[in-house]
């Protein structure tokens, strides 16, 4: 009888002692900001949604592992989302700022209304993103570059925090970049993933390589 090999997710419980990233996209931002390309701008969350979506924060608080290291991007919307999850039942935890997990910088295009953006593009926009994966706004960065910085951070954090659970409250672009790194796919391909506000995506780093556990899991009761 051949010997079993590899690592398998055959049970409802995730194996302990695995280097695991719990990636959460921040909550929805306020309505006026959504009319513009905000990228790495520091725009506020929608206050009404913070109240209305309290049950989703409670689901996330129950879903996330204890103990875990907490990280957020430098942007206030990610930090406020992390605080809301902790206050919804997880318990207060110190969060570290991880700059590599900020959103794609749109440079000089920050604040552009969506109807004016097409006239600025050098290449066609991605069907599921504001710009193409190789488009680099003046003074900003392309999604290819985002994938490189997020991938380098994942590799570094996997070494520094091996065998630990890490909760990272981040952004749609950065989470897609993490999936691109784990799957060894181009940024254009990764932009086909849907990453909704407050969704959870989980990836693991094992001796054999990266594994995707789930993507865009919505915290619904």
């Amino acid at each position: 009888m051949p010997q079993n090999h590899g690592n398998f997710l055959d049970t409802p419980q995730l194996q302990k002692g695995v280097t695991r990233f719990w990636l959460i996209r921040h909550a929805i931002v306020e309505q006026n900001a959504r009319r513009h390309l905000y990228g790495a701008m520091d725009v506020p969350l929608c206050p009404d949604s913070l109240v209305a979506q309290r049950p989703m924060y409670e689901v996330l608080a129950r879903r996330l592992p204890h103990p875990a290291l907490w990280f957020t991007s430098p942007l206030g919307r990610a930090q406020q989302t992390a605080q809301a999850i902790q206050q919804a039942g997880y318990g207060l935890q110190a969060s570290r700022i991880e700059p590599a997990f900020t959103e794609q910088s749109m440079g000089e295009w920050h604040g552009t209304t969506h109807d004016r953006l097409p006239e600025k593009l050098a290449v066609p926009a991605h069907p599921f993103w504001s710009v193409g994966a190789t488009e680099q706004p003046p003074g900003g960065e392309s999604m290819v570059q985002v994938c490189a910085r997020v991938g380098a951070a994942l590799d570094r954090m996997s070494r520094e925090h091996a065998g630990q659970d890490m909760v990272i409250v981040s952004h749609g672009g950065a989470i897609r970049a993490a999936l691109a790194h784990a799957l060894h796919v181009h940024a254009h391909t990764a932009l086909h993933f849907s990453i909704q506000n407050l969704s959870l995506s989980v990836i693991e780093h094992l001796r054999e390589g990266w594994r995707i556990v789930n993507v865009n899991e919505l915290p619904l009761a």
Side-chain angles (χ1 to χ4, degrees):
M1 182 175 178
Q3 185 177 1
N4 288 335
H5 67 281
N7 291 276
F8 299 94
L9 288 174
D10 294 331
T11 66
Q13 299 299 321
L14 295 178
Q15 180 182 350
K16 294 185 181 299
V18 171
T19 307
R20 189 173 291 120
F21 296 85
W22 304 72
L23 304 166
I24 300 168
R25 186 185 174 193
H26 63 80
I28 193 167
V29 302
E30 60 94 14
Q31 186 174 3
N32 185 59
R34 298 199 298 273
R35 297 191 179 101
H36 302 81
L37 193 67
Y38 57 86
M41 293 174 63
D42 213 349
V43 298
L45 295 180
C46 173
D48 294 336
S49 293
L50 275 172
V51 176
Q53 294 180 331
R54 168 80 183 194
M56 299 179 75
Y57 294 101
E58 293 173 347
V59 171
L60 281 169
R62 294 192 298 269
R63 177 79 170 87
L64 296 172
H66 281 277
L69 301 174
W70 280 68
F71 301 86
T72 74
S73 93
L75 299 179
R77 59 186 182 270
Q79 297 175 41
Q80 190 175 0
T81 300
Q83 292 167 3
I85 296 168
Q86 293 179 5
Q87 291 168 357
Y90 186 91
L92 297 182
Q93 303 287 320
S95 295
R96 310 182 201 182
I97 303 298
E98 179 46 69
F101 278 90
T102 197
E103 186 54 285
Q104 178 183 4
S105 172
M106 296 298 176
E108 295 177 15
W109 295 352
H110 279 136
T112 301
T113 56
H114 293 288
D115 62 322
R116 300 299 303 272
L117 181 61
E119 65 194 51
K120 299 178 181 292
L121 302 180
V123 297
H126 191 280
F128 304 113
W129 197 244
S130 299
V131 299
T134 60
E135 181 86 70
Q136 183 177 357
E141 60 185 342
S142 69
M143 269 302 300
V144 171
Q145 292 171 315
V146 175
C147 289
R149 68 164 157 82
V150 170
L154 287 171
D155 289 341
R156 170 177 52 79
M157 295 169 74
S158 294
R159 295 190 300 269
E160 293 175 350
H161 310 293
Q164 299 187 63
D165 285 295
M166 287 166 272
V167 176
I168 304 177
V169 184
S170 184
H171 306 269
I175 294 172
R176 289 174 175 90
L179 295 170
H181 182 71
L183 290 170
H184 303 286
V185 299
H186 193 271
H188 177 88
T189 302
L191 286 174
H192 284 270
F193 281 109
S194 177
I195 303 294
Q196 294 166 263
N197 294 103
L198 294 181
S199 68
L200 171 67
S201 301
V202 182
I203 63 176
E204 297 176 335
H205 187 257
L206 304 163
R207 182 178 65 255
E208 296 84 356
W210 290 95
R211 174 164 64 187
I212 309 294
V213 177
N214 66 291
V215 176
N216 198 46
E217 173 188 319
L218 293 176
L220 303 176

